[in-house]
Amino acid sequence: MVTELLHQLAQPLLVVLLMTGGAVADSALGVGAVLPGETLVAVGATVLEGTRSLWLAWVSVAAGAFLGDHVGYAVGRRLGPAVAGSGPVRKVGRARWERVTGLVRRHAVPTLALGRLAPGVRTLVALGAGASGVSYGRFALGSGLGALLWSTVWVGGGAAVGRVLQEFDLVQLLPLAGALVVVALVVGNRRTLLRAVDSWLTWPNAITVARLLLTVPLCWWLVSAGSAGGAGAGPAPGWIAAAGVAWAGSDWLDGAVARRLGQETRVGAVLDPVADRLGVLAVGLSLAAGDHLPWWPVLLIVLTDAIVTLLAGHAAAHGRLAVSTLGKIRTAVLLGGLCLLLTGVLLLPEVAAAGAWVVSAGSVLHVLAGIDYVRRALRSARAHEAEADAGSGSDAPTRREAHSSFSHG
């Protein structure tokens, strides 16, 4: 196999050292924008999959990323506001630098932790923390959390690829395919995410991102667990079931935190349903692949999502399509049914059938909610076209007067 050949060509300790060096270089001031640190870490984890050195690599990569952040923090502390005229800041732009430093001053810990996952931002956050006078305690906490998260994503992702290369089972490609879809969405919308950096670095969005990231290992553990109640590679069944409950419960938690803290943002309004749809689909596919769930509810969900995205996606993206009560009930039923089914598959076989029925009922509600979204989207489109036609029917002076009236009140 591919990884067996790689094992013969590389000593585990050397691979760990190279991965750690890549993490330090990626996190140090400006270097991460040039050297592919994530690629080096992920490839190294692929090589180390199946060895005891993988856990050492996870800790070492996190420590290297944490150490690399100290370079930017120290430079920022030394130069202070003068760092705004440095080469790295001029390269990314003064406007982005001002946004990042403003976020660091207001929300140091979440910005340092989540900013590491944002290309073009993580090279600035440690530097901005130092230049803004953020205390070392807050810097160390945020940087440490971000380093652990970054190491978990890339070491875990590389190890997952290594496992697939070792066994090359088609069923085990499902979680990996879900991860690739998530990565493609992030990369494809990176400019939009960067433009919205002021609004997406919030605690509710952090919970949503955590749910999105948890989907990948959860699906992997489900596929690895094999038959119902069977022991597979990964945590004990009880822990997998607990992870599933936490995954589903976070859908309620992010909304509650957003309302409590007044952090309801446009980015969160888009990110939350995307995380829901991808998560439900990925977990449903993993369960159906293991013969724990019929395929027809999964196919209903896939077809409905495709049609709704085609016919109502534009209206939703422009904020003209609010979440309906039926949509909220649908999501609650699907997530509750998946949790019940997970419990039945992993711990209590007698409730598995009930969980499958609840998920099936949720898929029917999903179709009904999709029909409602499409109906409202088409009605909104017709109203929008009518307004445009009404505006174009007036003469030029009238349009100018209407525009002046709208602009001033």
Side-chain angles (χ1 to χ4, degrees), residues 17 30 63 76 82 163 303 370:
L17 291 176
R163 176 68 61 84
L303 291 175

Side-chain angles (χ1 to χ4, degrees), residues 29 72-91 94 97-98 101 105 124 127-128 130-133:
L29 179 60
Y73 181 75
V75 171
R77 293 283 287 187
R78 182 176 182 84
L79 297 180
V83 77
S86 63
V89 174
R90 289 196 304 268
K91 184 177 180 180
R94 186 65 177 265
W97 167 254
E98 295 295 339
T101 53
R105 283 192 293 269
L124 300 179
L127 181 65
S132 302

Side-chain angles (χ1 to χ4, degrees), residues 122-219:
R122 68 165 168 265
T123 57
L124 300 179
V125 287
L127 181 65
S132 302
V134 173
S135 66
Y136 179 75
R138 295 168 68 199
F139 161 76
L141 177 59
S143 175
L145 292 173
L148 287 172
L149 177 61
W150 187 77
S151 179
T152 300
V153 169
W154 292 104
V155 173
V161 173
R163 176 68 61 84
V164 171
L165 291 177
Q166 287 177 357
E167 302 182 6
F168 211 76
D169 188 344
L170 180 60
V171 172
Q172 291 186 334
L173 289 176
L174 290 175
L176 179 61
L180 292 176
V181 169
V182 173
V183 172
L185 287 172
V186 172
V187 172
N189 295 278
R190 62 188 182 276
R191 293 184 179 180
T192 302
L193 292 175
L194 290 175
R195 286 196 300 267
V197 68
D198 278 326
S199 61
W200 72 266
L201 286 174
T202 63
W203 287 113
N205 291 345
I207 296 171
T208 304
V209 171
R211 177 165 79 254
L212 200 58
L213 295 176
L214 182 59
T215 301
V216 177
L218 178 61
C219 293

Side-chain angles (χ1 to χ4, degrees), residues 6-392:
L6 293 175
H7 279 307
Q8 296 173 2
L9 297 177
Q11 294 293 329
L13 183 58
L14 177 60
V15 174
V16 172
L17 291 176
L18 289 174
M19 294 168 65
T20 305
V24 174
D26 188 272
S27 304
L29 179 60
V31 179
V34 179
L35 296 179
E38 295 101 331
T39 303
L40 184 58
V41 170
V43 171
T46 301
V47 174
L48 295 176
E49 165 59 24
T51 70
R52 295 180 180 180
S53 300
L54 188 62
W55 288 102
L56 174 63
W58 175 68
V59 175
S60 183
V61 166
F66 182 66
L67 178 64
D69 276 350
H70 281 68
V71 176
Y73 181 75
V75 171
R77 293 283 287 187
R78 182 176 182 84
L79 297 180
V83 77
S86 63
V89 174
R90 289 196 304 268
K91 184 177 180 180
V92 300
R94 186 65 177 265
R96 183 178 295 176
W97 167 254
E98 295 295 339
R99 290 196 297 269
V100 170
T101 53
L103 282 170
V104 169
R105 283 192 293 269
R106 296 192 303 269
H107 312 290
V109 174
T111 301
L112 285 160
L114 296 177
R116 173 170 292 281
L117 298 177
V121 174
R122 68 165 168 265
T123 57
L124 300 179
V125 287
L127 181 65
S132 302
V134 173
S135 66
Y136 179 75
R138 295 168 68 199
F139 161 76
L141 177 59
S143 175
L145 292 173
L148 287 172
L149 177 61
W150 187 77
S151 179
T152 300
V153 169
W154 292 104
V155 173
V161 173
R163 176 68 61 84
V164 171
L165 291 177
Q166 287 177 357
E167 302 182 6
F168 211 76
D169 188 344
L170 180 60
V171 172
Q172 291 186 334
L173 289 176
L174 290 175
L176 179 61
L180 292 176
V181 169
V182 173
V183 172
L185 287 172
V186 172
V187 172
N189 295 278
R190 62 188 182 276
R191 293 184 179 180
T192 302
L193 292 175
L194 290 175
R195 286 196 300 267
V197 68
D198 278 326
S199 61
W200 72 266
L201 286 174
T202 63
W203 287 113
N205 291 345
I207 296 171
T208 304
V209 171
R211 177 165 79 254
L212 200 58
L213 295 176
L214 182 59
T215 301
V216 177
L218 178 61
C219 293
W220 179 260
W221 294 332
L222 286 174
V223 172
S224 298
S227 59
W239 286 109
I240 301 177
V245 172
W247 166 77
S250 66
D251 179 61
W252 167 84
L253 182 62
D254 56 9
V257 172
R259 291 186 293 271
R260 177 71 174 177
L261 300 180
Q263 294 182 343
E264 295 169 299
T265 64
R266 178 63 189 147
V267 173
V270 174
L271 186 62
D272 182 65
V274 169
D276 288 343
R277 299 277 59 78
L278 288 176
V280 168
L281 180 59
V283 174
L285 283 171
S286 299
L287 290 168
D291 293 328
H292 305 302
L293 179 68
W295 278 102
W296 69 263
V298 179
L299 294 177
L300 274 183
I301 293 173
V302 171
L303 291 175
T304 302
D305 284 343
I307 294 173
V308 171
T309 301
L310 180 64
L311 298 180
H314 185 270
H318 287 77
R320 300 198 302 267
L321 198 61
V323 178
S324 66
T325 301
L326 179 59
K328 294 179 180 179
I329 295 174
R330 171 275 319 270
T331 301
V333 172
L334 281 174
L335 292 177
L338 288 173
C339 284
L340 187 61
L341 182 54
L342 285 173
T343 302
V345 170
L346 299 167
L347 299 174
L348 300 172
E350 55 270 19
V351 304
W357 276 104
V358 174
V359 173
S360 300
S363 68
V364 175
L365 290 176
H366 187 63
V367 174
L368 297 177
I371 294 173
D372 177 63
Y373 282 131
V374 170
R375 178 183 59 82
R376 290 194 291 128
L378 295 177
R379 185 172 59 190
S380 174
R382 287 194 295 268
H384 187 70
E385 290 176 358
E387 291 177 1
D389 291 340
S392 63

